[in-house]
C-alpha cells in the first residue's frame, strides 16, 4: 500500500489506455442496470438476498446469476482518486471494491465527509443489476490515520515492546470502530511481518523480530473482526487483512529492484523449512486461531536455496505459496488482495501479469489506476482459455462471502452511530496508556528515573515537540510529515503536565543553568515503506544535531535523560556513557503525554525490546538466536521501575 500519486509518470501511459477503454465502452456505461448483457435483475425474493440463509447458500445463488463481466468486476479494486471524477465507472465496471491509499482523502476530511463519500460510491455499486455492495478498504495501521482527529496509537513496534495482547486487542477494536463509523469496512492490517533487518523502512510496522512475539500480538485481528464470525456485521467491526504474505521483513539488503529502495520489496533468500518457521508462522495463527478475512501478498520475492540461489519468484506470482500453502495446507478460506499495482512487477506484459497472478491464487486486484484495463485484460484471458472459469468462481466466491459476513447486503450504507467516539477522551486515554506501556528503559544510572514532579527540567530536541515526528509514517499522508498535523499531546506537553519549571530549546541554545535534569529527545523524521530504507537517504545513526544536543545538555546538567523517538533502534553506542538514563520511545502517535507518565513515575517502565539493538549499523541483520549474538541491548531487554518511586 502506498501513496496514490507515487510514480505517476510510469502510470500515465496506462491511465490513457484505461481512459480509452472506458470511452470505448459506451454501451456498458449507458446500459440500465436491469439490462446488463440482457440479463434480468434478480427478484427481491432471490435466495442471496435472504439473510436467514447460510452464507455458502447465498454465495452459490448469487454466483449462479452472475455474468463473467460481473464476476471479473468483483475481483477489481480501484483507487478513489481514479473513480471520484466519474463515479459511474463503479457501475459500468461492476467494481467490487474501492480503496484509499495513504493520504487519499475526501475534500472534507471529517467523519461525515468520509461517510458521505463512501456512501456516494456505494450508491453507484447498488445501481448494478444484482445490487452487489462495494467493499471500501483503507490502511488504518495505527488508528484511522488518514482522518485528522482520529485516535493515533503507537506504531506496531511499540506495541511489541509493550507485550500486552489484551491492549493490542483493545486498540484495534477502537481503530475498527473509528474507521467503520466513517465508511470503510475493511482495514489493510495488521502487518504480521517479522522484522529481521532494521534497515527495512517498514520496521515500525512489525511487532518484533520473532514469530512468537508477532503471534502473541495477533489478538489485534480479534479487535478488528470481533470474537465471533457474526461480530463483523456490527457497526464497530471490520474485515482485517494480514500482510505481507510472506517474508516482507526478511529480505536481503541490497536485493530490492524498486526505484531507490534497498531492502523493501526485495528478495527473501531461504529454505522452505526456515521460511515456514520464521515468515509463514504468523499466518497460520491468523487463519486458524483468528479466522482472518483477507491476506495481502508481499511485493517481495522468494528465492529457495533448495534449487540454488538466483531464481527469485515474486510473491504475487507464487502459486506454491498462495494456493498450495496458504489456501491448501493452512486452510485459508478468505480472499487474497494484491498490494498496490503489485502484479505490475511480475515479469512479462500486462496480460501475462494478470494471468500469472490470478492463476497463482490472487483473488482481488488492487489496480489503483488501471482497473478498466485490468477488467478488459482478465476477460480476454478467460475467453482465451488461459484462466479457467473455476478459478474465477473460486475468487468471486471468497469475495462475496466476505461481503455477506460483513452484512453489507442488508446494510450497505455507513452506520454512523459511533462517529462521536472518534478521537474521544476515552479512546485517547487508551492510546496514552499504550504509549506508557511501550516505553523501554535501557539505562538508568543512579536512579535518574523516575523524575521528581516539579523538577527544573531542561528539554532539548526537535522531537520533543513535533506531533508529526512522533506519529511517524501513515499519518494523514502516506509518508507522514513533520509539524502540527494532528491534534494530541507532544512529549513536551506531557512534561509540562508534571512540572511548572520547564525550559524548552530545540537546539539547546538557551542557557541550562539552574536545571536539575536535562531531557534530550532525539530520533527520526517520518517515512513509510522503502522510502525509509537505510541507504535510501536514511541511516540508523543519530543526526549531527541530535549528537550535538546530547553532548551539550549531558555535558552541562547533572542528570541527563535521552529519549529516542524513532521507528527502530538507532546507533547510540558512542553516546551511551554520557547519558544517565536512556529510553526508547518508538513512535508514540498522538498521545505523547504517555511518555511523561513513565518519566515522572505515574506509571512504571515495563516495556521490553521487541528487536535486538545493534552496536553499529553494519551489525544488521542481527536477531536473537544468531550464532555470534552480541548486540548493544539484547532482544527482550528492558529495566523496570516501580510506580510512584521517588516522590
Amino acid at each position: 500500500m502506498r501513496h496514490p500519486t507515487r510514480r505517476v509518470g510510469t502510470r500515465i501511459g496506462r491511465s490513457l489506455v484505461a481512459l480509452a477503454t472506458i470511452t470505448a465502452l459506451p454501451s456498458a456505461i449507458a446500459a440500465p442496470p436491469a439490462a446488463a448483457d440482457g440479463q434480468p435483475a434478480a427478484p427481491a425474493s432471490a435466495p442471496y438476498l435472504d439473510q436467514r440463509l447460510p452464507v455458502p447458500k447465498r454465495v452459490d445463488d448469487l454466483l449462479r446469476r452472475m455474468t463473467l463481466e460481473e464476476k471479473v468486476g468483483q475481483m477489481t479494486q480501484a483507487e478513489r482518486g481514479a473513480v471520484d471524477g466519474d463515479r459511474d465507472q463503479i457501475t459500468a465496471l461492476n467494481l467490487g471494491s474501492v480503496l484509499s491509499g495513504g493520504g487519499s482523502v475526501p475534500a472534507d476530511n471529517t467523519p461525515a465527509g468520509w461517510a458521505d463519500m463512501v456512501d456516494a460510491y456505494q450508491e453507484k455499486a447498488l445501481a448494478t443489476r444484482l445490487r452487489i455492495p462495494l467493499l471500501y478498504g483503507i490502511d488504518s495501521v495505527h488508528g484511522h490515520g488518514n482522518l485528522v482527529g482520529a485516535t493515533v496509537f503507537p506504531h506496531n513496534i511499540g506495541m511489541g515492546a509493550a507485550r500486552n495482547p489484551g491492549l493490542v486487542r483493545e486498540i484495534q477494536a477502537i481503530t475498527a470502530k473509528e474507521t467503520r463509523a466513517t465508511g470503510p469496512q475493511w482495514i489493510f492490517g495488521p502487518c504480521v511481518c517479522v522484522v529481521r533487518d532494521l534497515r527495512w523502512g517498514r520496521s515500525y510496522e512489525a511487532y518484533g523480530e520473532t514469530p512468537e512475539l508477532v503471534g502473541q500480538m495477533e489478538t489485534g485481528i480479534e479487535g478488528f473482526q470481533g470474537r465471533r464470525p457474526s461480530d463483523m456485521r456490527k457497526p464497530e467491526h471490520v474485515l482485517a487483512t494480514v500482510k505481507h504474505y510472506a517474508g516482507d521483513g526478511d529480505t536481503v539488503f541490497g536485493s530490492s529492484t524498486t526505484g531507490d529502495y534497498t531492502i523493501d520489496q526485495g528478495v527473501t533468500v531461504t529454505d522452505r523449512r526456515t521460511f515456514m518457521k520464521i515468515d509463514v508462522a504468523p499466518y497460520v495463527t491468523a487463519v486458524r486461531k483468528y479466522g482472518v478475512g483477507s491476506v495481502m501478498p508481499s511485493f517481495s520475492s522468494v528465492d529457495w536455496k533448495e534449487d540454488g540461489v538466483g531464481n527469485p519468484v515474486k510473491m504475487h506470482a507464487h502459486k506454491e505459496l498462495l494456493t498450495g500453502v496458504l489456501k491448501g495446507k493452512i486452510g485459508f478460506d478468505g480472499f487474497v488482495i494484491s498490494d498496490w499495482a503489485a502484479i505490475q512487477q511480475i515479469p512479462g506484459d500486462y496480460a501475462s501479469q494478470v494471468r500469472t497472478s490470478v492463476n497463482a491464487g490472487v483473488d482481488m486486484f488492487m489496480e489503483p489506476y488501471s482497473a478498466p484495463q485490468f477488467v478488459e485484460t482478465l476477460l480476454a484471458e478467460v475467453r482465451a482459455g488461459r484462466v479457467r472459469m473455476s478459478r474465477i468462481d473460486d475468487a468471486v466466491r471468497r469475495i462475496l462471502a466476505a461481503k455477506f459476513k460483513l452484512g453489507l447486503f442488508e446494510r450497505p450504507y455507513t452506520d454512523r452511530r459511533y462517529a462521536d467516539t472518534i478521537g474521544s477522551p476515552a479512546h485517547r486515554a487508551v492510546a496514552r496508556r499504550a504509549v506508557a506501556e511501550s516505553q523501554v528503559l535501557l539505562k538508568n544510572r543512579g536512579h535518574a528515573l523516575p523524575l521528581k514532579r516539579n523538577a527544573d527540567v531542561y528539554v532539548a530536541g526537535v522531537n520533543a515537540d513535533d506531533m508529526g515526528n512522533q506519529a511517524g509514517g501513515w499519518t494523514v499522508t502516506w509518508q507522514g510529515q513533520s509539524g502540527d498535523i494532528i491534534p494530541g499531546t507532544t512529549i513536551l506537553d506531557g512534561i509540562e503536565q508534571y512540572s511548572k519549571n520547564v525550559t524548552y530549546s530545540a537546539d539547546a541554545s538557551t542557557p541550562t543553568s539552574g536545571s536539575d535534569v536535562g531531557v534530550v529527545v532525539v530520533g527520526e523524521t517520518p517515512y513509510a515503506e522503502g522510502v525509509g530504507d537505510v541507504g535510501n537517504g536514511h541511516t540508523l545513526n543519530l543526526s549531527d544535531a541530535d549528537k550535538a544536543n546530547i553532548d551539550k545538555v549531558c555535558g552541562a546538567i547533572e542528570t541527563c535523560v535521552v529519549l529516542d523517538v524513532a521507528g527502530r533502534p538507532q546507533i547510540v553506542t558512542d553516546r551511551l556513557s554520557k547519558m544517565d538514563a536512556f529510553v526508547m520511545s518508538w513512535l508514540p502517535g498522538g498521545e505523547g503525554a504517555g511518555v511523561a507518565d513513565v518519566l515522572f513515575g505515574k506509571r512504571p517502565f515495563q516495556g521490553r525490546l521487541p528487536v535486538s539493538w545493534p552496536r553499529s549499523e553494519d551489525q544488521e541483520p542481527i536477531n536473537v538466536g544468531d550464532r555470534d549474538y552480541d548486540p548493544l541491548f539484547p532482544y527482550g531487554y528492558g529495566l523496570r521501575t516501580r510506580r510512584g518511586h521517588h516522590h
Side-chain angles (χ1 to χ4, degrees), residues 348-510:
D349 62 5
Y350 192 61
S352 123
Q353 292 168 338
V354 169
R355 169 172 72 246
T356 301
S357 52
V358 174
N359 287 336
V362 178
D363 300 309
M364 186 188 278
F365 292 79
M366 188 187 294
E367 285 291 276
Y369 297 102
S370 30
Q373 184 195 4
F374 173 79
V375 167
E376 183 188 33
T377 305
L378 183 50
L379 287 172
E381 289 300 304
V382 176
R383 289 178 179 137
R386 290 186 288 266
V387 173
R388 292 165 64 167
M389 203 62 205
S390 57
R391 173 73 272 270
I392 299 294
D393 285 350
D394 173 56
V396 177
R397 200 173 251 116
R398 291 163 178 272
I399 293 162
L400 294 176
K403 293 183 176 188
F404 283 118
K405 286 175 186 164
L406 282 162
L408 296 181
F409 283 81
E410 290 72 49
R411 287 175 299 284
Y413 293 110
T414 306
D415 184 326
R416 310 182 189 206
R417 77 178 78 170
Y418 294 120
D420 59 350
T421 71
I422 294 170
S424 66
H427 287 183
R428 288 178 183 277
V430 175
R432 182 168 177 166
R433 178 159 60 93
V435 172
E437 291 196 22
S438 72
Q439 303 298 295
V440 181
L441 182 60
L442 295 168
K443 179 177 180 180
N444 194 22
R445 182 165 60 201
H447 294 296
L449 292 175
L451 302 175
K452 293 189 176 72
R453 297 192 191 205
N454 282 323
D456 280 313
V457 187
Y458 185 96
V459 182
V462 170
N463 279 10
D465 197 30
D466 192 302
M467 284 303 302
N469 288 5
Q470 74 182 37
W474 296 110
T475 313
V476 187
T477 59
W478 174 41
Q479 288 295 315
Q481 61 199 82
S482 299
D484 197 16
I485 61 166
I486 54 168
T489 54
T490 65
I491 292 170
L492 179 65
D493 293 332
I495 291 171
E496 288 173 339
Q497 289 177 14
Y498 286 93
S499 175
K500 297 183 179 53
N501 315 305
V502 180
T503 304
Y504 176 60
S505 176
D507 63 355
S509 57
T510 307

Side-chain angles (χ1 to χ4, degrees), residues 19 94 177 336 436 571 619:
L19 288 172
N94 295 287
K177 183 184 261 191
V336 173
I571 306 307
Q619 204 179 29

Side-chain angles (χ1 to χ4, degrees), residues 44-66:
S45 61
Y48 78 88
L49 294 170
D50 183 352
Q51 63 179 312
R52 292 164 308 183
L53 290 179
V55 168
K57 280 212 160 48
R58 298 179 73 181
V59 170
D60 285 342
D61 178 66
L62 178 50
L63 197 66
R64 234 187 354 257
R65 299 168 188 273
M66 293 171 77

Side-chain angles (χ1 to χ4, degrees), residues 232-310:
M232 261 201 294
R233 270 185 248 139
K234 297 177 180 168
E236 68 266 36
H237 287 294
V238 294
L239 186 75
T241 310
V242 281
K243 65 188 189 183
H244 305 88
Y245 181 85
D248 53 351
D250 198 9
T251 59
V252 174
F253 186 79
S255 66
S256 183
T257 52
T258 302
D260 307 318
Y261 295 4
T262 55
I263 187 167
D264 188 34
Q265 305 187 17
V267 182
T268 307
V269 180
T270 185
D271 60 84
R272 286 175 174 84
R273 200 171 145 267
T274 308
F275 188 70
M276 296 299 159
K277 198 176 80 183
I278 302 242
D279 301 302
V280 174
Y283 295 89
V284 179
T285 305
V287 171
R288 294 189 180 161
K289 187 171 181 183
Y290 296 113
V292 74
S294 67
V295 170
M296 184 184 290
S298 181
F299 278 111
S300 57
S301 307
V302 168
D303 193 346
W304 299 129
K305 287 179 179 172
E306 283 91 336
D307 58 3
V309 174

